Amino acid sequence: MKKLMMALALFMMTGVVSAQTPEQKAAMKEAKAQLNQAIKLRDAAKLALQSATPEKPVDNAMVKSNCQQADDLIEKALASGYVDQKKLFDAYFVKDEVNTFLLNIEQAKYSKGEDFDAAAFEDALTKACDGMSGVVKYANPKDEIQEGIMKAEKTKLAKCQVYYALLVQIANSNGNTQAVIDNCKKYIDYPKAHPEVADLCQDPNPPYGQMAYYICAMAFNSKDWALMAEYTPLANTYDDPDAKNFMEAAGAQALLQQGDTVGWVRMMREKIAKDPTSEESEMNIQNLMAFYSKDATELGKFCDEVLESAPYSKMANYGKGYSLFMESKYAEALEYYQKSVEADPEYLDAIMQCGYCLFNIANANNTTIQGKTFKTKAEADEAVKTNVIDYFEQAQPYFERVRELAPDDSGKWAYELRVIYNAIGQTEKAKELENL
């Protein structure tokens, strides 16, 4: 009795499910007609493409019209929800094919340098990919033909990812920042959008890091710091020297733009610590020197830290010298400036600072001597010779070297050389500089 009641219940349930209202039957009939009409339009477009010859080229307008109509019909049929389950494979396959035809038309125009419609290209790409996904989803594994088509569609779907890289290139050439960002995101998110081919998209060309780098570049230009921060980790995986240099410089600049000087200083210090002897570190040391320029103590401490691991750093020695110079410790500063010049014999600022150290010592000593009383003129002359003239003579070659390196910038050497020449008795040379 229980089995009989169960069978009766199942029979009644089946009857309820299979029962169709006149409206439902009409909807199913319409969906079937739409699919059949779409297939006819697809077949006509395909025939036109296959039968084209150089003498009789394909009528792209007709193909485009047929494909667009076919896609509209497929969309309506699928949206109705009344396409027969066994026909879903066919519906999505038609959707893929007609949009692939449209995609190829636009791609051919782009290759020939003709009027390319990026929006139409992207629309066809999106719809073709949806069609391929449907084919992969609804293919009958027991049907050898469908199974073969499904495998081919899966490969094709994975390869379509690169089209978004093409759209990035086109958007960039057109100066369309937002389109660059949007298509980079679609490229990066492609495995998520099409998980059925995620295993085939693990190592794409171009790499994901490159696309993230493009996003960061666009975000930096538009000052979208949140977007830049989001894609920076992935961008940093892009193994390109120029990109890495940009990301580091842009990351630091972004922190400054947002007023995060603490974060900026930390980033600069971390970069320097990685390779304190590199050219990049010398530049970063210079940037931090500018940051600390008003605080001699902090500047000195920072330079001391760098000099522990990079004792011959041009910029760290210069910065340490500058910190001492700010405190009027000219003799101590001179030692560091000289090390900076040893590291770079043409480093103009360091050469000039060496001269200023000796020049200032001579002037300070001269002021001190002027306030003293000497027993004899000989004693006074000796004091001037030892404490003033000797220092001016030591300063002389530095300012003359500055003059060689910057002949047109007399403000860096004319006054100092004029004072020096007069002090050491080379008055004719001093006169030559009077009008400079």
Side-chain angles (χ1 to χ4, degrees):
M1 179 63 74
K2 287 184 178 180
K3 290 184 179 180
L4 178 61
M5 293 298 293
M6 180 68 71
L8 181 60
L10 290 174
F11 175 78
M12 292 178 65
M13 288 175 64
T14 302
V16 171
V17 171
S18 61
Q20 295 177 336
T21 65
E23 290 79 9
Q24 290 174 323
K25 289 181 179 179
M28 291 186 69
K29 183 177 181 180
E30 183 178 8
K32 183 178 180 180
Q34 288 168 337
L35 176 57
N36 289 336
Q37 181 60 24
I39 292 173
K40 290 180 181 178
L41 290 165
R42 185 273 314 272
D43 290 344
K46 183 182 289 189
L47 180 62
L49 290 167
Q50 292 173 341
S51 60
T53 64
E55 294 76 20
K56 188 178 179 181
V58 66
D59 183 353
N60 280 335
M62 182 276 286
V63 171
K64 191 172 182 179
S65 176
N66 274 28
C67 290
Q68 289 173 337
Q69 290 181 61
D71 182 71
D72 287 341
L73 289 166
I74 293 294
E75 288 284 351
K76 290 176 181 177
L78 291 172
S80 72
Y82 285 101
V83 175
D84 187 276
Q85 185 76 15
K86 295 180 180 180
K87 292 295 183 180
L88 285 172
F89 173 89
D90 295 333
Y92 281 104
F93 189 47
V94 172
K95 181 179 179 65
D96 164 35
E97 285 201 301
V98 295
N99 281 290
T100 296
F101 296 157
L102 293 173
L103 190 68
N104 290 339
I105 289 173
E106 290 302 326
Q107 188 176 8
K109 287 161 64 177
Y110 177 76
S111 299
K112 296 175 183 177
E114 298 176 359
D115 188 20
F116 173 76
D117 189 339
F121 181 88
E122 185 172 358
D123 181 64
L125 173 61
T126 301
K127 291 177 177 178
C129 288
D130 286 344
M132 293 175 227
S133 292
V135 169
V136 173
K137 181 178 180 179
Y138 293 106
N140 183 356
K142 295 181 180 180
D143 186 319
E144 291 185 5
I145 295 177
Q146 287 192 13
E147 183 69 6
I149 292 174
M150 182 275 290
K151 290 179 179 179
E153 289 287 277
K154 192 173 180 180
T155 300
K156 179 181 169 186
L157 178 59
K159 290 181 177 180
C160 279
Q161 181 184 29
V162 77
Y163 285 126
Y164 287 105
L166 175 62
L167 287 168
V168 168
Q169 179 181 331
I170 293 168
N172 187 55
S173 64
N174 293 334
N176 191 335
T177 297
Q178 191 57 51
V180 170
I181 293 172
D182 290 343
N183 286 298
C184 281
K185 287 181 177 180
K186 290 175 182 177
Y187 184 91
I188 293 169
D189 294 337
Y190 198 81
K192 294 179 182 177
H194 302 287
E196 61 270 47
V197 294
D199 59 323
L200 301 178
C201 301
Q202 293 178 0
D203 189 24
N205 185 25
Y208 293 121
Q210 184 174 352
M211 290 297 164
Y213 160 63
Y214 291 154
I215 291 176
C216 288
M218 298 296 107
F220 177 78
N221 291 335
S222 59
K223 298 184 178 181
D224 189 341
W225 311 126
L227 181 63
M228 185 175 174
E230 179 182 355
Y231 283 91
T232 289
L234 181 56
N236 286 336
T237 67
Y238 180 35
D239 189 17
D240 178 85
D242 291 337
K244 287 184 179 298
N245 289 338
F246 170 83
M247 289 302 301
E248 290 186 354
Q253 189 62 31
L255 291 172
L256 286 179
Q257 291 280 345
Q258 296 174 83
D260 186 1
T261 55
V262 174
W264 177 79
V265 169
R266 182 176 60 252
M267 178 180 286
M268 290 293 100
R269 284 177 173 269
E270 288 173 354
K271 289 180 182 179
I272 294 167
K274 288 179 182 178
D275 185 6
T277 61
S278 68
E279 290 185 12
E280 181 188 357
S281 286
E282 291 285 28
M283 181 179 65
N284 290 333
I285 292 168
Q286 188 172 11
N287 289 333
L288 279 175
M289 281 167 48
F291 178 76
Y292 290 126
S293 62
K294 295 181 180 179
D295 189 332
T297 301
E298 286 300 316
L299 175 58
K301 287 180 181 178
F302 162 66
C303 291
D304 283 337
E305 291 176 13
V306 176
L307 290 171
E308 285 182 8
S309 55
Y312 302 106
S313 167
K314 176 179 76 172
M315 294 311 306
N317 276 297
Y318 182 91
K320 180 61 177 179
Y322 186 72
S323 71
L324 293 165
F325 189 90
M326 291 170 67
E327 297 176 341
S328 300
K329 297 177 181 179
Y330 303 123
E332 295 176 55
L334 177 62
E335 295 180 17
Y336 288 97
Y337 282 136
Q338 287 173 331
K339 290 179 182 179
S340 185
V341 174
E342 288 175 11
D344 182 359
E346 296 192 354
Y347 185 19
L348 179 63
D349 287 346
I351 296 169
M352 186 169 61
Q353 286 302 114
C354 285
Y356 275 130
C357 285
L358 293 162
F359 188 85
N360 289 354
I361 290 172
N363 282 326
N365 288 345
N366 187 52
T367 300
T368 301
I369 290 171
Q370 295 300 320
K372 284 186 176 182
T373 301
F374 296 92
K375 294 179 180 179
T376 65
K377 182 177 184 302
E379 187 180 345
D381 290 344
E382 179 59 27
V384 171
K385 172 68 174 65
T386 303
N387 297 291
V388 180
I389 295 177
D390 282 357
Y391 281 103
F392 276 138
E393 287 178 339
Q394 292 178 61
Q396 178 185 347
Y398 287 109
F399 285 111
E400 287 178 343
R401 179 60 175 153
V402 172
R403 184 179 186 179
E404 290 177 12
L405 294 173
D408 297 327
D409 195 353
S410 59
K412 294 182 182 294
W413 47 264
Y415 169 76
E416 289 77 15
L417 282 177
R418 190 163 61 247
V419 171
I420 291 170
Y421 289 149
N422 279 320
I424 65 178
Q426 296 182 12
T427 54
E428 291 299 320
K429 284 187 176 182
K431 288 180 180 180
E432 292 174 4
L433 303 178
E434 286 181 356
N435 296 324
L436 294 179

